[in-house]
Amino acid sequence: MKIISYNVNGIRAAMTKGLVEWLEAAQPDVFCIQETKAMQEQVDTKPFEDLGYHIYWHAAEKKGYSGVAVFSKIKPNHVQIGTGIDYIDREGRVLRVDFDHVSVISLYLPSGTNIDRLDFKLQFCEDFKSYIKELKISHPNLIICGDYNICHEAIDIHDPIRNAKVSGFLPVEREWLSAFIDECNMIDSFRYFVKEPHHYSWWSYRANARNNNKGWRIDYNMVSQTLENKMTRATILPEAKHSDHCPILLELDV
């Protein structure tokens, strides 16, 4: 099973930059998307359907904002839109598809760009962790793909010193991610395979950051420990340039 997760920063804009053609070449079995910024009816999904994908969508109530989707070549046994937590679901941030041996979640965790949104983000993080701990009782084999909007360790950010007080690399956010991994028994699949620095998944549009590789690794394919011996490969795909993020890939033998 090949899974790719990608914050496309607006799916309609990404499609004008060759997203469909790239996806045809990449051929993931499951494609998790974040920040669709559109209702499903606003997007021409036929090109994706023509590639053999079943399409599942969770838009935010606010138009042009947030939103997640899952495109899958394997028809899921069940699709769960949202978490059942009202304030989370209004922003269209969690979508789960269940297959025979694994369940895959597309997650778009909030950013904390101002104090109100930081408080919202931290509340979201705690409630999402509780949701996952409960979910794992019935669905132990989880793969939680998406934009977590948090760099975990200093190795995951180009300038850890100057960014130490910036949301996305705050101690409280990093501590939550450590707790999430530990308490929910998850594996950061990329770091499982790749120990070297200078691998990022998001770059600012400012100051030529991407060309200079001054980035942040804030996108993760988190995998339940029960699937550890099923993982065969995890990598980042920075050559794909339809967004300020790039896709991340996970392969499993299930």
Side-chain angles (χ1 to χ4, degrees):
M1 179 182 267
K2 180 194 283 188
I3 300 169
I4 291 179
S5 180
Y6 197 176
N7 179 323
V8 294
N9 192 16
I11 190 167
R12 290 170 291 182
M15 289 172 74
T16 68
K17 299 172 186 176
L19 179 68
V20 175
E21 294 77 10
W22 173 84
L23 188 63
E24 184 175 17
Q27 288 290 320
D29 300 298
V30 181
F31 186 42
C32 294
I33 307 169
Q34 301 85 44
E35 213 169 354
T36 56
K37 294 185 176 179
M39 310 289 180
Q40 185 171 352
E41 58 270 20
Q42 295 177 299
V43 179
D44 178 12
T45 57
K46 188 176 185 301
F48 301 110
E49 292 161 5
D50 290 345
L51 296 178
Y53 288 103
H54 305 280
I55 294 178
Y56 308 99
W57 207 275
H58 184 25
E61 288 180 357
K62 181 180 174 182
K63 288 189 175 180
Y65 177 73
S66 188
V68 292
V70 176
F71 297 176
S72 178
K73 290 194 171 181
I74 313 154
K75 191 168 179 62
N77 301 325
H78 175 74
V79 178
Q80 186 65 45
I81 295 173
T83 60
I85 303 169
D86 185 58
Y87 80 90
I88 289 177
D89 296 344
R90 284 200 299 268
E91 294 202 351
R93 293 185 178 273
V94 181
L95 176 60
R96 188 184 89 236
V97 290
D98 298 333
F99 303 107
D100 287 347
H101 303 293
V102 298
S103 295
V104 180
I105 291 175
S106 183
L107 167 69
Y108 180 37
L109 206 148
S111 62
T113 47
N114 59 51
I115 191 65
D116 290 339
R117 288 304 285 183
L118 180 59
D119 288 344
F120 179 89
K121 178 181 187 176
L122 296 175
Q123 183 65 53
F124 181 110
C125 285
E126 287 305 315
D127 289 342
F128 182 73
K129 182 176 68 171
S130 298
Y131 167 76
I132 293 299
K133 288 166 79 170
E134 180 72 20
L135 181 64
K136 288 196 80 179
I137 297 169
S138 56
H139 297 72
N141 298 333
L142 287 180
I143 302 164
I144 307 174
C145 309
D147 178 1
Y148 284 64
N149 265 310
I150 300 170
C151 287
H152 190 205
E153 304 288 358
I155 193 175
D156 298 314
I157 191 167
H158 76 92
D159 191 346
I161 303 300
R162 278 194 281 189
N163 285 301
K165 295 183 179 180
V166 177
S167 180
F169 197 58
L170 296 173
V172 66
E173 296 169 307
R174 298 170 61 198
E175 287 163 11
W176 174 82
L177 192 51
S178 293
F180 177 76
I181 291 169
D182 292 344
E183 294 176 28
C184 297
N185 298 311
M186 304 301 289
I187 298 168
D188 175 352
S189 61
F190 178 77
R191 278 287 167 240
Y192 185 87
F193 290 101
V194 182
K195 310 303 183 188
E196 295 80 22
H198 312 306
H199 294 282
Y200 309 120
S201 65
W202 174 82
W203 301 262
S204 169
Y205 282 129
R206 297 193 295 270
N208 212 23
R210 189 161 188 166
N211 287 340
N212 295 319
N213 199 31
K214 292 184 175 180
W216 301 40
R217 190 174 74 93
I218 58 176
D219 300 87
Y220 302 84
N221 289 321
M222 294 287 186
V223 179
S224 288
Q225 288 180 6
T226 52
L227 295 169
E228 179 178 4
N229 64 353
K230 303 293 186 184
M231 297 190 302
T232 58
R233 180 176 175 235
T235 192
I236 294 173
L237 306 172
E239 71 281 359
K241 295 181 177 177
H242 317 95
S243 168
D244 51 350
H245 293 249
C246 74
I248 56 171
L249 178 143
L250 170 68
E251 292 180 355
L252 305 102
D253 182 3
V254 293

